[in-house]
Amino acid sequence: MAQFVDWDLAAATAGALSKSGPAVSFEEATQVVSELRALTDEAAVHVAAYTGLTAQTEVPPVRVVDRRDWAKVNIAGLQRVIGPLVTRLSGDKEPSPLVDAIGSRVTGVQAGTVLAYLSGRVLGQYEVFSGEPGQLLLNAPNIVEVERKIDADPRDFRLWVCLHEVTHRTQFTAVPWMRGYFLGEVQAFVDASQGGEHVLERLRRGVATLSEALRDEESRMSVLDIVQTPGQRAVLDRLTALMTLLEGHAEFVMDGVGPEVIPSVESIRAKFNRRREGGNPLEKALRRVLGIEVKMRQYAEGRKFVHGVHERVGMAGFNKIFESPLTLPRLEELGDPDAWVARVHG
């Protein structure tokens, strides 16, 4: 099968275009890495005590990365996802050598450019594509850069970030079926794709849609909305509901644990929220088109849902959400915690 994306070029492009990190000495960098590892362990204790969830499998140690390493890890994950999708879309047809050579390099540059942008924003991530059970990544340069920009206490801010990311790790390691379910939904999205003229038609509509998304500040359109088929919409609804739940749960936990162990948590949350909402017009447009604005809304909508369920049935009652895929919230229930409680708890 031809290589439709030059992944080596994508990695090189991401490395070349990634912004340089904040100025730190070697000693400072070593101290940051050491502290993030220690705070990850501390956060794990707090998250387990607060949520009542504990890992059911051996948990790999956290991996503290820089921006280039973050991009490399995600390129490896993208290869596992995009390869099968491209195979299905192409119908196993080989392009001409010239088309393959040029096209793979163009898409390689495009993928690298997007990853370079994201590598300068992501603070942490639980990466599930690279292997069982997944890998917790902390992007040290971004954490240091943000804590400086919002003038936060470094240890408080780092622990706050670790609480969020460790909660994600807990979701995938304490719930035995979670990773398989998530990967199954991603595969279902791939399986629902269509090739041939359908792709060309969606790409033509995509040009107009992207243009509109860049002009309309209220648009929720993202790249996924442009390329999806009708068959993929149902899958995407389930994935959206799942990701909104997981992001909201992590936000709820980090703020729930925070007051007990992070003295400046209220100040950090207020400053961090203002930073999330900021940015120049071009940056906001990029966030919309890449789907980052949708993810930011997931934080707020998911946290509100988790808070609502917790208010009604407590933590043990909320944790029934992790019993099986059937107890996950449906997309329409995210705005109506009572509906989920009625369905699951009767």
Side-chain angles (χ1 to χ4, degrees), residues 54-60 132-133 172-174:
T54 55
Q56 303 299 304
T57 185
E58 185 176 351
V59 179
E132 179 76 34
F172 282 91
T173 58

Side-chain angles (χ1 to χ4, degrees), residues 34-47 60-62 136 138 159 162 166 169:
S34 177
E35 184 171 58
L36 285 173
R37 288 172 177 161
L39 290 176
T40 298
D41 293 338
E42 180 180 335
V45 175
H46 296 312
V47 170
V62 62
L136 177 59
L138 292 177
L159 178 55
C162 288
V166 167
R169 185 176 69 182

Side-chain angles (χ1 to χ4, degrees), residues 16 29 167 171-172 178 190 225 239 243-244 246 279 310 318 326 337:
T167 300
Q171 292 159 348
F172 282 91
M178 183 63 74
V190 171
D225 297 313
L239 278 170
M243 299 311 296
T244 301
L246 298 183
H310 184 265
F318 169 81
L326 296 177

Side-chain angles (χ1 to χ4, degrees), residues 144-340:
V144 172
E145 184 172 77
V146 172
E147 72 190 27
R148 289 179 178 180
K149 284 184 176 180
I150 68 174
D151 192 27
D153 176 85
R155 187 185 185 283
D156 282 4
F157 183 75
R158 294 168 194 176
L159 178 55
W160 192 65
V161 172
C162 288
L163 287 170
H164 182 103
E165 303 307 333
V166 167
T167 300
H168 283 319
R169 185 176 69 182
T170 301
Q171 292 159 348
F172 282 91
T173 58
V175 183
W177 53 265
M178 183 63 74
R179 181 173 180 269
Y181 173 77
F182 173 72
L183 294 179
E185 288 297 305
V186 172
Q187 184 61 51
F189 186 85
V190 171
D191 290 342
S193 60
Q194 300 169 348
E197 294 180 0
H198 296 285
V199 178
L200 297 176
E201 179 63 27
R202 292 199 303 277
L203 288 176
R204 290 190 198 101
R205 292 201 310 267
V207 174
T209 305
L210 277 174
S211 176
E212 181 178 345
L214 288 170
R215 292 194 304 269
D216 182 6
E217 292 187 1
E218 300 301 317
S219 173
R220 287 187 172 223
M221 192 62 63
S222 72
V223 172
L224 276 179
D225 297 313
I226 296 166
V227 303
Q228 68 180 287
T229 67
Q232 288 172 317
R233 290 194 184 103
V235 182
L236 195 59
D237 281 350
R238 294 195 297 272
L239 278 170
T240 298
L242 175 64
M243 299 311 296
T244 301
L245 166 69
L246 298 183
E247 293 295 357
H249 183 228
E251 293 277 294
F252 179 79
V253 171
M254 73 193 297
D255 285 346
V257 173
E260 299 296 323
V261 298
I262 303 174
S264 60
V265 66
E266 289 187 10
S267 173
I268 288 175
R269 166 58 76 186
K271 292 177 180 178
F272 193 74
N273 283 350
R274 286 196 295 271
R275 177 184 176 274
R276 271 182 178 170
E277 296 164 359
N280 59 49
L282 177 59
E283 171 125 346
K284 290 181 179 179
L286 281 171
R287 292 201 305 244
R288 285 199 306 276
V289 172
L290 294 175
I292 299 172
E293 288 285 0
V294 174
K295 188 175 181 66
M296 290 164 64
R297 278 190 287 270
Q298 286 176 343
Y299 292 137
E301 293 170 2
R303 183 170 63 242
K304 186 176 180 180
F305 169 79
V306 175
H307 177 76
V309 171
H310 184 265
E311 265 193 335
R312 290 158 175 78
V313 295
M315 187 62 76
F318 169 81
N319 282 345
K320 285 180 69 69
I321 217 163
F322 297 122
E323 283 189 354
S324 81
L326 296 177
T327 56
L328 289 172
R330 298 164 182 165
L331 193 60
E332 64 271 15
E333 290 173 338
L334 290 172
D336 187 2
D338 285 321
W340 180 86

Side-chain angles (χ1 to χ4, degrees), residues 6-23:
D6 187 329
W7 295 109
D8 290 336
L9 181 57
T13 301
L17 297 181
S18 294
K19 298 186 299 181
S20 60

Side-chain angles (χ1 to χ4, degrees), residues 99-110:
V99 170
D100 181 39
I102 296 175
S104 66
R105 285 165 175 74
V106 170
T107 51
V109 170
Q110 291 169 337

